[in-house]
Amino acid sequence: MKKNNRLHPMSQEDGKDIIGMIEETEDFFRAYRLSVDGYEVLVGRDAQSNDYISTRLARPNDYWFHLKGDSGSHVLLRCHEKEEVPSSEILQKVASLAVYYSKQKKAGKTPVVCTLAKYVSKPKNAPPGLVTVSKEKILKVVPKSVEEIQQKD
């Protein structure tokens, strides 16, 4: 059976768009598509969507985030320009989403790995969602929902 590599808008859940991809098994890979200060942010919802976001959707200049040392969502900050460097404030906001969409949702300051997507790779025969990361930076952030991030001070 041939793969269909098109993204399909699927549904709305809690006011967030959910995206998906139909593969050979007709399974959907679901992720949240959010907006943070004009940037598109993709948040994986399970191992398959994490894998898809990190290995198929990520462009080399996008920023990739994940909770350090625990399971959680892969979060991708899509950059508009090839050499664009988002502000540290944007990176902190997106990192806080990585904690929010993890088991550490109720924690205080939590370390999050941040790196360019070109430094994220999948080992051969690794299970879905498992990646290796290099050249990472650690950000310590408090978990916040997209609604909390978007509130005006």
Side-chain angles (χ1 to χ4, degrees):
M1 184 182 291
K2 187 178 176 193
K3 288 185 181 181
N4 180 352
N5 290 328
R6 292 175 299 166
L7 287 176
H8 301 281
M10 291 167 42
S11 64
Q12 288 256 325
E13 185 174 294
D14 300 328
K16 301 166 193 72
D17 289 332
I18 300 173
I19 62 170
M21 180 180 159
I22 301 173
E23 285 282 350
E24 293 175 307
T25 61
E26 297 297 320
D27 289 337
F28 286 102
F29 294 94
R30 301 183 333 151
Y32 289 125
R33 178 182 284 148
L34 312 172
S35 178
V36 175
D37 294 349
Y39 286 92
E40 180 181 26
V41 177
L42 301 174
V43 181
R45 297 187 53 200
D46 55 28
Q48 287 78 18
S49 62
N50 284 342
D51 204 61
Y52 181 63
I53 287 170
S54 299
T55 62
R56 299 281 217 92
L57 285 182
R59 299 178 297 229
N61 62 307
D62 292 338
Y63 282 79
W64 183 90
F65 301 81
H66 190 276
L67 183 67
K68 181 165 177 63
D70 204 350
S71 60
S73 293
H74 294 200
V75 178
L76 190 67
L77 172 65
R78 306 297 301 263
C79 289
H80 308 291
E81 304 291 325
K82 196 171 192 175
E83 300 298 320
E84 183 175 5
V85 179
S87 69
S88 62
E89 180 184 0
I90 296 290
L91 296 177
Q92 293 280 327
K93 286 179 178 182
V94 177
S96 69
L97 287 171
V99 180
Y100 183 80
Y101 288 102
S102 76
K103 293 178 181 179
Q104 301 297 320
K105 184 177 188 170
K106 305 279 187 212
K109 274 201 169 183
T110 307
V112 173
V113 173
C114 171
T115 192
L116 286 171
K118 66 183 172 184
Y119 301 123
V120 177
S121 60
K122 184 170 184 66
K124 188 175 181 177
N125 299 321
L130 181 69
V131 295
T132 58
V133 180
S134 61
K135 298 190 181 186
E136 71 266 19
K137 180 173 146 181
I138 304 299
L139 305 174
K140 290 198 172 185
V141 296
V142 174
K144 290 184 182 175
S145 68
V146 72
E147 293 80 16
E148 291 171 307
I149 288 171
Q150 292 174 340
Q151 285 179 350
K152 302 285 184 206
D153 293 71

Short mmCIF file of all heavy atoms in Angstrom, two decimals, residues 32-55:
data_model
loop_
_atom_site.label_atom_id
_atom_site.label_comp_id
_atom_site.label_asym_id
_atom_site.label_seq_id
_atom_site.Cartn_x
_atom_site.Cartn_y
_atom_site.Cartn_z
N TYR A 32 -0.87 18.72 18.55
CA TYR A 32 -1.46 20.04 18.67
C TYR A 32 -0.70 21.00 17.79
O TYR A 32 0.53 20.95 17.71
CB TYR A 32 -1.37 20.55 20.11
CG TYR A 32 -2.28 19.84 21.08
CD1 TYR A 32 -1.77 19.26 22.22
CD2 TYR A 32 -3.65 19.79 20.86
CE1 TYR A 32 -2.60 18.62 23.13
CE2 TYR A 32 -4.49 19.16 21.76
CZ TYR A 32 -3.96 18.57 22.89
OH TYR A 32 -4.76 17.95 23.78
N ARG A 33 -1.41 21.88 17.11
CA ARG A 33 -0.80 22.97 16.35
C ARG A 33 -1.21 24.25 17.07
O ARG A 33 -2.38 24.58 17.13
CB ARG A 33 -1.30 22.99 14.91
CG ARG A 33 -0.71 24.15 14.11
CD ARG A 33 -1.25 24.17 12.70
NE ARG A 33 -0.62 23.13 11.93
CZ ARG A 33 -1.23 22.48 10.94
NH1 ARG A 33 -2.48 22.73 10.64
NH2 ARG A 33 -0.59 21.56 10.27
N LEU A 34 -0.23 24.92 17.66
CA LEU A 34 -0.48 26.10 18.46
C LEU A 34 0.22 27.30 17.84
O LEU A 34 1.08 27.16 16.97
CB LEU A 34 0.07 25.90 19.88
CG LEU A 34 -0.31 24.59 20.58
CD1 LEU A 34 0.46 24.45 21.88
CD2 LEU A 34 -1.80 24.56 20.84
N SER A 35 -0.13 28.49 18.31
CA SER A 35 0.55 29.70 17.88
C SER A 35 1.06 30.43 19.11
O SER A 35 0.31 30.66 20.06
CB SER A 35 -0.42 30.60 17.10
OG SER A 35 0.23 31.78 16.72
N VAL A 36 2.35 30.77 19.08
CA VAL A 36 2.95 31.52 20.18
C VAL A 36 3.66 32.72 19.58
O VAL A 36 4.65 32.57 18.86
CB VAL A 36 3.96 30.65 20.98
CG1 VAL A 36 4.68 31.47 22.03
CG2 VAL A 36 3.25 29.46 21.61
N ASP A 37 3.13 33.90 19.83
CA ASP A 37 3.70 35.16 19.34
C ASP A 37 4.02 35.11 17.85
O ASP A 37 5.07 35.55 17.39
CB ASP A 37 4.96 35.52 20.13
CG ASP A 37 4.66 35.84 21.59
OD1 ASP A 37 3.46 35.99 21.94
OD2 ASP A 37 5.60 35.95 22.38
N GLY A 38 3.10 34.54 17.06
CA GLY A 38 3.25 34.51 15.61
C GLY A 38 4.03 33.32 15.08
O GLY A 38 4.14 33.14 13.87
N TYR A 39 4.57 32.49 15.96
CA TYR A 39 5.28 31.28 15.54
C TYR A 39 4.35 30.08 15.62
O TYR A 39 3.56 29.96 16.55
CB TYR A 39 6.47 30.99 16.46
CG TYR A 39 7.64 31.90 16.27
CD1 TYR A 39 7.77 33.07 17.01
CD2 TYR A 39 8.64 31.59 15.35
CE1 TYR A 39 8.86 33.90 16.84
CE2 TYR A 39 9.74 32.41 15.19
CZ TYR A 39 9.84 33.57 15.93
OH TYR A 39 10.92 34.40 15.76
N GLU A 40 4.49 29.16 14.67
CA GLU A 40 3.76 27.91 14.72
C GLU A 40 4.52 26.96 15.64
O GLU A 40 5.75 26.82 15.54
CB GLU A 40 3.65 27.29 13.33
CG GLU A 40 2.90 25.99 13.32
CD GLU A 40 2.80 25.35 11.95
OE1 GLU A 40 3.68 25.60 11.09
OE2 GLU A 40 1.86 24.58 11.74
N VAL A 41 3.79 26.31 16.53
CA VAL A 41 4.38 25.35 17.46
C VAL A 41 3.60 24.05 17.33
O VAL A 41 2.37 24.04 17.38
CB VAL A 41 4.30 25.87 18.92
CG1 VAL A 41 4.86 24.84 19.89
CG2 VAL A 41 5.03 27.20 19.06
N LEU A 42 4.33 22.94 17.16
CA LEU A 42 3.71 21.62 17.08
C LEU A 42 4.06 20.83 18.32
O LEU A 42 5.22 20.81 18.73
CB LEU A 42 4.20 20.88 15.83
CG LEU A 42 3.93 21.58 14.51
CD1 LEU A 42 4.58 20.83 13.36
CD2 LEU A 42 2.44 21.74 14.27
N VAL A 43 3.07 20.19 18.92
CA VAL A 43 3.25 19.43 20.16
C VAL A 43 2.75 18.01 19.94
O VAL A 43 1.56 17.81 19.66
CB VAL A 43 2.48 20.08 21.33
CG1 VAL A 43 2.69 19.29 22.61
CG2 VAL A 43 2.87 21.54 21.52
N GLY A 44 3.64 17.02 20.06
CA GLY A 44 3.26 15.63 19.90
C GLY A 44 2.36 15.17 21.03
O GLY A 44 2.48 15.64 22.16
N ARG A 45 1.48 14.22 20.73
CA ARG A 45 0.54 13.73 21.73
C ARG A 45 0.80 12.29 22.13
O ARG A 45 0.20 11.80 23.09
CB ARG A 45 -0.89 13.87 21.21
CG ARG A 45 -1.23 15.34 21.00
CD ARG A 45 -2.65 15.57 20.65
NE ARG A 45 -3.54 14.94 21.60
CZ ARG A 45 -4.80 14.65 21.36
NH1 ARG A 45 -5.32 14.93 20.20
NH2 ARG A 45 -5.54 14.07 22.26
N ASP A 46 1.66 11.59 21.40
CA ASP A 46 2.00 10.21 21.72
C ASP A 46 3.32 9.90 21.01
O ASP A 46 3.86 10.75 20.31
CB ASP A 46 0.89 9.25 21.32
CG ASP A 46 0.48 9.36 19.86
OD1 ASP A 46 1.33 9.74 19.02
OD2 ASP A 46 -0.68 9.07 19.54
N ALA A 47 3.82 8.69 21.20
CA ALA A 47 5.13 8.32 20.63
C ALA A 47 5.14 8.45 19.11
O ALA A 47 6.12 8.93 18.52
CB ALA A 47 5.50 6.89 21.04
N GLN A 48 4.06 8.05 18.45
CA GLN A 48 4.01 8.13 16.99
C GLN A 48 4.02 9.57 16.50
O GLN A 48 4.73 9.89 15.54
CB GLN A 48 2.78 7.39 16.44
CG GLN A 48 2.87 5.89 16.52
CD GLN A 48 2.59 5.35 17.93
OE1 GLN A 48 2.02 6.01 18.77
NE2 GLN A 48 3.03 4.12 18.16
N SER A 49 3.24 10.43 17.13
CA SER A 49 3.23 11.84 16.69
C SER A 49 4.54 12.52 17.05
O SER A 49 5.03 13.37 16.30
CB SER A 49 2.02 12.58 17.25
OG SER A 49 2.03 12.62 18.65
N ASN A 50 5.15 12.17 18.19
CA ASN A 50 6.46 12.70 18.52
C ASN A 50 7.46 12.34 17.43
O ASN A 50 8.25 13.17 16.97
CB ASN A 50 6.96 12.16 19.87
CG ASN A 50 6.28 12.81 21.05
OD1 ASN A 50 5.69 13.87 20.94
ND2 ASN A 50 6.38 12.17 22.19
N ASP A 51 7.43 11.08 17.02
CA ASP A 51 8.33 10.59 15.98
C ASP A 51 8.11 11.35 14.68
O ASP A 51 9.05 11.79 14.02
CB ASP A 51 8.07 9.09 15.78
CG ASP A 51 9.24 8.37 15.19
OD1 ASP A 51 10.31 8.37 15.82
OD2 ASP A 51 9.09 7.80 14.10
N TYR A 52 6.87 11.50 14.31
CA TYR A 52 6.52 12.19 13.07
C TYR A 52 6.98 13.64 13.08
O TYR A 52 7.58 14.13 12.12
CB TYR A 52 5.01 12.09 12.84
CG TYR A 52 4.55 12.75 11.57
CD1 TYR A 52 4.99 12.29 10.34
CD2 TYR A 52 3.71 13.84 11.61
CE1 TYR A 52 4.57 12.90 9.16
CE2 TYR A 52 3.30 14.46 10.45
CZ TYR A 52 3.73 13.99 9.23
OH TYR A 52 3.32 14.60 8.08
N ILE A 53 6.72 14.33 14.19
CA ILE A 53 7.12 15.73 14.32
C ILE A 53 8.64 15.86 14.23
O ILE A 53 9.16 16.72 13.52
CB ILE A 53 6.60 16.33 15.64
CG1 ILE A 53 5.09 16.56 15.56
CG2 ILE A 53 7.32 17.63 15.99
CD1 ILE A 53 4.46 16.91 16.87
N SER A 54 9.36 15.01 14.95
CA SER A 54 10.81 15.13 15.06
C SER A 54 11.56 14.66 13.82
O SER A 54 12.61 15.20 13.50
CB SER A 54 11.31 14.35 16.27
OG SER A 54 10.74 14.87 17.45
N THR A 55 11.02 13.67 13.12
CA THR A 55 11.77 13.09 12.00
C THR A 55 11.23 13.46 10.63
O THR A 55 11.95 13.34 9.65
CB THR A 55 11.83 11.55 12.11
OG1 THR A 55 10.50 11.03 12.04
CG2 THR A 55 12.49 11.12 13.41
#
